[in-house]
Amino acid sequence: MKEFHLSTPLKKSDIDQLSVGDVIYLTGTFLTARDEAHARILEFAERGEELPFDLEGAAIYHCGPLMQQREGEWEVIAAGPTTSARMSKMTPHLLEKYNVTALIGKGGMNNVAGSLKGKCVYLAFTGGCAALAAENIRKVENVHWQDLGMPEAVWVLKVENFGPLIVGIDAKGNDLFAKIEEKARSVFSGLI
């Protein structure tokens, strides 16, 4: 297990060096996107329309932040990760259409390791750390699709040393969560 301090946008050489279990701290910019934002992104792709934000080399944070606007500026109150498994079905299509290099969320993803192979990593953040996450967000740079509601809108966030994030799925196709689940099932079956 190694520790890395990386900057967005992540390059292929950045993600190729990562292995499951490594600890990452990210600095730079990432976008939030949950279920509704993923669905809309894929609708835009299907219609061949240009997105109002850039996903080239992007890091997407599965998060529905709580924001407050003061004197025209958005302030992050809480920004904990949401359950990434909800986005599992949409992820392969998203990665076919856009060069997203990192997904950040909570609790692992289901059957996406193959679609991440060679181009993207999944980074797990600890659930229940919404206040810690907010501390590492330095600025809200923009927000798109506010009609989806505050948690479903796409927030463009500038972060500094955001983490610790654990590499849950690396770009070699290794899935830490799947391995742990498999091991747990094996141990459990031995108890019966």
Side-chain angles (χ1 to χ4, degrees), residues 37-174:
H38 276 68
R40 187 171 287 183
I41 289 169
L42 295 178
E43 288 169 9
F44 269 61
E46 192 168 311
R47 293 193 302 260
E49 291 181 33
E50 189 173 331
L51 294 169
F53 42 84
D54 188 7
L55 290 182
E56 179 62 31
I60 292 180
Y61 183 27
H62 299 152
C63 169
L66 176 60
M67 302 287 194
Q68 185 174 37
Q69 198 167 30
R70 291 184 185 166
E71 299 175 8
E73 298 288 325
W74 287 103
E75 179 181 327
V76 183
I77 305 301
T82 195
T83 303
S84 294
R86 294 201 324 263
M87 273 60 75
S88 293
K89 287 184 179 176
M90 293 182 276
T91 295
H93 193 46
L94 177 82
L95 295 178
E96 284 172 17
K97 299 293 183 185
Y98 301 100
N99 183 33
V100 174
T101 55
L103 302 170
I104 304 161
K106 179 178 73 176
M109 300 184 77
N110 301 322
N111 303 315
V112 299
S115 61
L116 271 65
K117 199 170 182 178
K119 56 183 160 186
C120 186
V121 291
Y122 171 72
L123 307 173
F125 192 57
T126 304
C129 292
L132 173 65
E135 285 180 16
N136 293 328
I137 297 170
R138 297 292 176 246
K139 184 179 179 186
V140 177
E141 294 188 334
N142 209 339
V143 59
H144 304 276
W145 298 344
Q146 287 188 72
D147 61 300
L148 296 177
M150 184 180 289
E152 297 288 346
V154 174
W155 297 88
V156 183
L157 306 175
K158 186 172 184 178
V159 299
E160 185 175 335
N161 281 325
F162 189 91
L165 305 167
I166 306 296
V167 179
I169 304 174
D170 63 26
K172 303 167 199 91
N174 299 307

